[in-house]
């Protein structure tokens, strides 16, 4: 599951300036709602706050990744926010967080763990984090992520490639007797 497929432009805010962890959470939740994948804002917020009570989701190096599984989530999604001045997110290293990603996941399955793992893998790269923080607009922010995912996961298909209606040729084969066979997907042959 690619990060760029879960993150909509409406769910990104660059150069934000929340004054507290609480305000940052509210801003990220608003971005999630704006992205259209949250059915009930307050129910989703309860999940985020319950997770934060177990321990801060700020992992250090300026990164915070609040997340929740909730019945209020219609579809897996992400919200992202850059905070140039940083915000005290109660990080493990006591440093302010300036790059925040919020994961919203439905209650069924463990998609949040897959997304969390992928985010942590790509966010370990200091140059990548710097590029995200310096992105001039949302398109550039998404391109930086897309480029990193293409580099880290070059053989992975992109989710945005939609199948076409009707037949899709999967393979054409030939047999020794000279009869050609065509295999089709997505319909009867």
């Amino acid at each position: 599951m690619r990060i760029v497929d879960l993150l909509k432009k409406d769910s990104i805010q660059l150069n934000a300036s929340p004054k507290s962890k609480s305000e940052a959470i509210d801003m990220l939740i608003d971005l999630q709602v704006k992205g259209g994948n949250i059915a009930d804002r307050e129910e989703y917020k309860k999940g985020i706050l319950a997770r934060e009570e177990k321990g801060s989701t700020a992992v250090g190096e300026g990164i915070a990744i609040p997340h929740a599984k909730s019945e209020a989530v219609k579809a897996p999604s992400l919200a992202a926010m850059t905070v140039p001045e940083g915000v005290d997110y109660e990080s493990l290293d006591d440093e302010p967080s300036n790059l925040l990603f919020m994961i919203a996941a439905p209650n069924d399955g463990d998609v949040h763990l897959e997304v969390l793992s992928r985010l942590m893998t790509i966010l370990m790269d200091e140059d990548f984090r710097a590029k995200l923080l310096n992105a001039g607009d949302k398109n550039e922010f998404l391109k930086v992520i897309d480029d990193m995912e293409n580099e880290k996961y070059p053989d992975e298909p992109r989710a945005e490639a939609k199948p076409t209606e009707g037949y899709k040729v999967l393979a054409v084969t030939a047999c020794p007797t000279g009869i050609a066979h065509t295999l089709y997907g997505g319909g009867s042959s």
Side-chain angles (χ1 to χ4, degrees):
M1 181 165 298
R2 293 175 58 87
I3 300 303
V4 292
D5 295 328
L6 297 175
L7 188 58
K8 299 177 182 177
K9 287 183 195 176
D10 286 346
S11 300
I12 300 170
Q13 183 173 354
L14 304 179
N15 303 313
S17 54
K19 303 295 182 233
S20 65
K21 176 180 178 177
S22 176
E23 187 177 346
I25 288 172
D26 281 334
M27 291 170 76
L28 285 162
I29 291 171
D30 288 343
L31 289 169
Q32 282 283 18
V33 170
K34 193 174 180 183
N37 291 312
I38 305 297
D40 182 335
R41 183 191 191 287
E42 292 310 310
E43 187 63 27
Y44 177 64
K45 183 176 179 176
K46 284 180 192 175
I48 291 291
L49 295 178
R51 172 56 190 87
E52 290 297 326
E53 284 177 15
K54 294 178 182 177
S56 179
T57 54
V59 296
E61 301 295 325
I63 303 165
I65 308 177
H67 51 279
K69 287 175 63 171
S70 171
E71 291 294 329
V73 178
K74 295 188 263 184
S77 62
L78 279 168
M81 187 165 61
T82 63
V83 184
E85 300 302 316
V87 61
D88 181 1
Y89 207 94
E90 302 168 5
S91 177
L92 298 173
D93 63 3
D94 291 324
E95 294 296 322
S97 297
N98 55 14
L99 194 53
L100 293 81
F101 285 88
M102 181 176 275
I103 303 170
N107 267 340
D108 58 329
D110 288 324
V111 69
H112 70 292
L113 296 176
E114 182 182 339
V115 175
L116 187 58
S117 172
R118 177 166 290 217
L119 276 172
M120 289 308 301
T121 298
I122 63 177
L123 287 169
M124 289 172 31
D125 185 301
E126 189 175 343
D127 291 334
F128 172 68
R129 292 193 312 267
K131 287 177 184 175
L132 288 175
L133 289 168
N134 292 316
D137 59 32
K138 295 175 184 183
N139 288 329
E140 183 180 349
F141 188 88
L142 288 168
K143 183 177 180 342
V144 168
I145 295 171
D146 191 41
D147 290 348
M148 177 57 96
E149 285 189 296
N150 288 334
E151 178 185 318
K152 289 278 188 194
Y153 310 100
D155 298 329
E156 184 178 74
R158 300 180 91 159
E160 60 227 38
K162 306 249 188 277
T164 57
E165 292 297 318
Y167 294 106
K168 176 172 70 175
V169 177
L170 299 176
V172 176
T173 64
C175 68
T177 61
I179 301 171
H181 304 277
T182 304
L183 305 175
Y184 293 96
S188 59
S189 46

